[in-house]
Amino acid sequence: MRLMSYILFLALGAALPARAQESAALPKHIILLIDDGGGFNTFHAAGYYEHGALGFEPYDDFSVQLACSTYPLHIGTTPGSGGKLGAYDPVAMWSNFLYARSNLTDSAAAATAIASGSKTYRTAINWTDFGAPVIPIVRHAKSTGKSAGLVTSVPFSHATPAAFAAHNASRNNYAAIAAEMITNSLLDVLMGCGHPLYDDNGALKSSGFDYTYVGGSTLWNSLVAGTAGGSTPWTFIDAPAQFTALAAGAVTYPRVCGVARAATTLQEERSGDTHAAPYVVPFTTNAPSLAMMTRAALRVLEQNSAGFFLMVEGGAVDWAAAANRSGRLIEEQTAFNQAVQAVTNWINANNAWSNTLVVVTCDHETGMVWGPASGAGQPNPWDPVANLGAGVMPGLKFNATDHSNTLVPLYAHGVSADLLATYGEHTDPVYGPYADNTDVFKALRYLLLGDPATPADFEGRHRDDLAVFWPAQGNWYILGAAGLIQVANWGVGQTPVPADYDGDGLSDYASFRPSTGTWTIFQSGLASARQQTFGKINGIPVPADYDGDGRADLATYERSTAMWRILFSASGLSHTQNWGWSTTIPVPADYDGDGNADLGVYDPAHGNWYVASLSRGVLALGSNWGWSAAVPVPADYDGDGLADLAVYDPAAGNWYIRRLTGSVLLAGANWGWSAAVPTPMDYDGDGAAELAVHWRDGGSWFIRKSSGSILAAGANWGWNDTEPVIPQYQILHAFGIVP
């Protein structure tokens, strides 16, 4: 062994990923409004009826105005039921009117995509096609100290609100979903319908009480009694005057569950002529409006100095459209617009545009609403909705009684709204730039949690440190901002597995003992380590953030069976998934940019990549990029938030990198030699991994950017007895590919 010298070769400083550099400000409040079943033509129809023109709603002046795709993973209704993968094809959409009848989502899959960034099967509530739970945005908001609330005009345990606070393989398990929302959701506000004692006219029933939507009679009684909800029990309200008083600020509570005196909807399912013109049938008087509930929710949530997340759903727009009730469709869309107005009024009254982000979108379109001459086989199948003046029903026609695969509006305004605009990467010939519904989650998650910690960021500088491990002594040597950081006697003879296990933005010292399956983790700020046994004995450790909660999960990969074993940090649940075969090399990384690490394997015999997302299904199946002697080195080399397929040629020291979509970034870039091992990570904090190699015998690092600029050429940090602390290095070492 010889003494080491260090060279401080990088300009240090926090940097954001390429996409996020557009908008660095973080909102204090995030308000998401979802028009369930709405679409561009639904918005137009209500605007024509209410105002005789478009441009009078708050979202019409929002700074970001995009379209958004809504398709599910597939149209099956159970995990793994498969079928054709969902898609939106803009060319097919405008060449065949009936194309919109394909790849239909439902509110569960669509809301899950918005709430957790996961494409899944129809009926799933934060449940993936692999049978694994995913984390909704509400829990991310709560992890930052914010309050959280949900408001809807339908039962609160219905699909859209449920996707923000529950997990279930089927949306139809209403009682179980309601129970989770009430007892284990972390919500501070929960408001909607589903009252077991009242009908849809707001009248008290004498019998036939239905407790399905509220979790059963026992839970309902405890909710009403004020004993449900744990250490901070819910304050229960149901009378219109109670909502009004709360909205006016006459009373306040730390936590409120408001169940309107309505069985299923605030107004849409009331008696009378369901096909009458808007407002001809009088509204019931025993239920608050959606706008009133929104104002009441804001009064509760605004008490938190750390801010809040609020989702408001116009849930009954979908009900009216599915029933082809044009009058009630106008009523429900207008009620949703009034809720948006209530939000903007609150922001204006509190001068809060400087710290608030508002997003307005739809989970899917319902009814295929177009103009009166629309339809398959018509001269103009996409005949536009006709404006006949304010107070007059516009000319419209329903072409379906269920959902469609058309694009829906996506509006944003306020702090970092421009971040949403960067996701409008696709182009529709009619609606222009469009994003995907999962992009809403991606943007909001970033604005809540920031960029995920890099594997070797031990000081929180948003960049990977040069780090080596001495197995014989269990010593870690890290090049920090001020020089050497040494942690002695930590994991003698074990495998170093550094990662951010506690979500504080700092990598934690950790080791794995394969002979016992024991993890030892020294979390940042703790005086002692925690130990936990998980995984298959003699498994290969592959820790990563598989559930997207900002914390690395314990995970192992079994070579003989290609079995992945994951312990989700957010839920405490374990998951096993077979992906690969005995000769494939695990290459976990976030290939789809949703904040969740994906299961990836590389087949060295043929140079093929196989990637499965726990949240989105199969991403790559036999994608060829490599050869038998190539070394897989996946990382995000272009800073777009997606890991790239990459291999290193150890014989020639050449790098070959391509995106999962197929576009090539580098083909034969020379940076290395036969005695060096690849160590790509983000060493300068710009969000993109560098081409890097480490010479173990010489203890030297050679680092250059994919653009060609050199960051280090022989920086000395280590010696022949140490090994680089790089997650992928440890995997390759276990396979005998690198020394």
Side-chain angles (χ1 to χ4, degrees):
M1 185 182 75
R2 60 180 173 78
L3 296 176
M4 298 178 295
S5 62
Y6 61 84
I7 303 171
L8 194 61
F9 60 92
L10 298 177
L12 308 181
L16 296 170
R19 184 184 299 281
Q21 288 174 4
E22 305 284 336
S23 288
L26 303 181
K28 178 179 179 179
H29 312 301
I30 298 175
I31 305 174
L32 172 64
L33 299 106
I34 299 176
D35 194 34
D36 190 330
F40 284 100
N41 291 331
T42 311
F43 283 40
H44 293 172
Y48 293 152
Y49 185 88
E50 292 296 320
H51 311 289
L54 304 178
F56 288 88
E57 303 302 336
Y59 45 73
D60 290 324
D61 295 322
F62 280 14
S63 59
V64 175
Q65 301 192 20
L66 298 171
C68 187
S69 54
T70 66
Y71 59 88
L73 178 65
H74 60 74
I75 62 172
T77 57
T78 56
S81 54
K84 183 180 179 182
L85 295 181
Y88 174 79
D89 185 339
V91 175
M93 173 69 198
W94 300 108
S95 60
N96 179 6
F97 186 79
L98 295 180
Y99 172 80
R101 304 286 299 126
S102 64
N103 296 315
L104 307 184
T105 191
D106 76 330
S107 292
T112 295
I114 297 172
S116 71
S118 301
K119 289 287 189 183
T120 189
Y121 60 93
R122 295 190 301 184
T123 76
I125 299 293
N126 293 317
W127 206 256
T128 75
D129 202 46
F130 287 131
V134 287
I135 303 173
I137 196 70
V138 161
R139 288 193 173 264
H140 294 313
K142 292 293 294 187
S143 73
T144 68
K146 298 184 187 297
S147 296
L150 304 177
V151 175
T152 180
S153 58
V154 300
F156 64 76
S157 53
H158 260 233
T160 299
F164 286 83
H167 306 78
N168 208 285
S170 174
R171 61 177 293 176
N172 298 317
N173 296 326
Y174 294 111
I177 289 169
E180 182 178 359
M181 297 176 78
I182 293 171
T183 63
N184 194 35
S185 66
L186 305 180
L187 291 169
D188 302 283
V189 173
L190 180 60
M191 295 182 179
C193 300
H195 205 299
L197 309 183
Y198 287 83
D199 63 18
D200 278 312
N201 294 311
L204 187 65
K205 296 189 291 187
S206 59
S207 62
F209 304 132
D210 186 357
Y211 297 92
T212 302
Y213 294 136
V214 292
S217 60
T218 300
L219 182 58
W220 170 259
N221 290 332
S222 65
L223 181 65
V224 173
T227 58
S231 58
T232 306
W234 295 100
T235 296
F236 174 79
I237 63 174
D238 66 348
Q242 293 176 301
F243 287 96
T244 302
L246 187 58
V251 295
T252 188
Y253 310 104
R255 201 175 186 209
V256 177
C257 181
V259 183
R261 292 174 174 177
T264 58
T265 67
L266 295 176
Q267 298 293 343
E268 201 280 335
E269 288 292 295
R270 69 189 188 278
S271 300
D273 184 359
T274 57
H275 292 281
Y279 313 112
V280 169
V281 178
F283 279 2
T284 66
T285 58
N286 210 19
S289 67
L290 183 63
M292 180 66 73
M293 290 197 300
T294 300
R295 289 193 290 272
L298 289 167
R299 285 290 192 179
V300 177
L301 298 174
E302 67 182 7
Q303 300 176 86
N304 188 348
S305 61
F308 59 80
F309 172 88
L310 172 63
M311 192 283 294
V312 178
E313 182 206 21
V317 174
D318 185 42
W319 296 46
N324 290 183
R325 300 170 177 171
S326 57
R328 298 206 172 181
L329 180 68
I330 298 296
E331 293 174 354
E332 294 300 326
Q333 181 62 51
T334 301
F336 175 79
N337 291 342
Q338 291 168 348
V340 179
Q341 187 67 65
V343 165
T344 57
N345 288 345
W346 177 87
I347 296 172
N348 291 330
N350 289 275
N351 295 315
W353 280 116
S354 62
N355 61 12
T356 304
L357 172 66
V358 180
V359 179
V360 176
T361 192
C362 310
D363 58 350
H364 54 74
E365 195 270 352
T366 300
M368 287 186 69
V369 178
W370 287 95
S374 62
Q378 299 301 312
N380 181 13
W382 301 278
D383 180 49
V385 175
N387 181 13
L388 301 179
V392 180
M393 276 298 301
L396 62 83
K397 176 184 176 184
F398 295 98
N399 291 281
T401 57
D402 56 3
H403 306 165
S404 73
N405 192 26
T406 60
L407 298 179
V408 298
L410 173 60
Y411 304 137
H413 195 65
V415 179
S416 292
D418 57 326
L419 179 59
L420 270 296
T422 67
Y423 289 95
E425 299 172 325
H426 313 286
T427 302
D428 182 86
V430 174
Y431 294 124
Y434 69 93
D436 185 68
N437 52 12
T438 57
D439 294 329
V440 176
F441 169 82
K442 291 178 186 178
L444 298 185
R445 182 188 182 279
Y446 173 78
L447 293 174
L448 287 168
L449 301 183
D451 193 34
T454 55
D457 180 11
F458 293 92
E459 294 188 305
R461 293 178 291 160
H462 300 277
R463 45 145 288 183
D464 287 301
D465 302 305
L466 298 189
V468 294
F469 177 70
W470 189 9
Q473 299 295 323
N475 290 350
W476 300 64
Y477 296 88
I478 298 163
L479 181 59
L484 173 65
I485 303 172
Q486 180 177 344
V487 178
N489 300 317
W490 196 258
V492 176
Q494 300 179 39
T495 301
V497 285
D500 184 10
Y501 293 94
D502 54 5
D504 66 351
L506 301 174
S507 185
D508 304 307
Y509 304 102
S511 61
F512 176 74
R513 186 181 295 277
S515 61
T516 62
T518 302
W519 300 72
T520 306
I521 303 170
F522 200 110
Q523 295 178 189
S524 313
L526 297 183
S528 59
R530 69 177 178 94
Q531 284 192 326
Q532 187 166 355
T533 299
F534 179 78
K536 188 76 169 180
I537 292 176
N538 295 321
I540 297 172
V542 285
D545 185 7
Y546 294 95
D547 57 10
D549 70 340
R551 296 175 290 171
D553 308 306
L554 308 187
T556 61
Y557 176 82
E558 300 165 28
R559 293 186 63 176
S560 61
T561 62
M563 184 67 73
W564 299 69
R565 299 181 186 273
I566 304 169
L567 181 63
F568 295 120
S569 55
S571 62
L573 300 175
S574 61
H575 179 73
T576 58
Q577 185 69 51
N578 182 262
W579 187 254
W581 58 94
S582 60
T583 58
T584 54
I585 302 168
V587 283
D590 184 7
Y591 293 92
D592 57 0
D594 65 351
N596 301 359
D598 306 308
L599 312 185
V601 295
Y602 175 75
D603 173 19
H606 303 93
N608 290 336
W609 297 70
Y610 300 81
V611 182
S613 167
L614 289 176
S615 61
R616 296 192 183 191
V618 176
L619 301 176
L621 197 63
S623 183
N624 185 261
W625 190 253
W627 62 96
S628 59
V631 177
V633 283
D636 179 10
Y637 291 92
D638 57 357
D640 64 352
L642 289 76
D644 306 304
L645 311 185
V647 294
Y648 173 76
D649 178 8
N654 291 338
W655 296 72
Y656 299 81
I657 304 171
R658 53 156 280 201
R659 298 183 177 93
L660 191 65
T661 56
S663 58
V664 176
L665 297 176
L666 292 174
N670 185 258
W671 190 254
W673 66 98
S674 58
V677 297
T679 55
M681 290 200 301
D682 183 10
Y683 295 96
D684 63 353
D686 67 348
E690 281 76 49
L691 312 185
V693 295
H694 178 65
W695 183 29
R696 285 191 63 183
D697 288 345
S700 299
W701 299 72
F702 298 79
I703 305 172
R704 57 155 281 195
K705 301 182 72 65
S706 57
S707 62
S709 59
I710 296 174
L711 300 181
N716 185 255
W717 193 255
W719 60 93
N720 58 356
D721 295 327
T722 60
E723 57 190 41
V725 179
I726 308 293
Q728 192 62 22
Y729 171 86
Q730 299 300 332
I731 295 173
L732 297 174
H733 180 68
F735 276 81
I737 296 172
V738 297

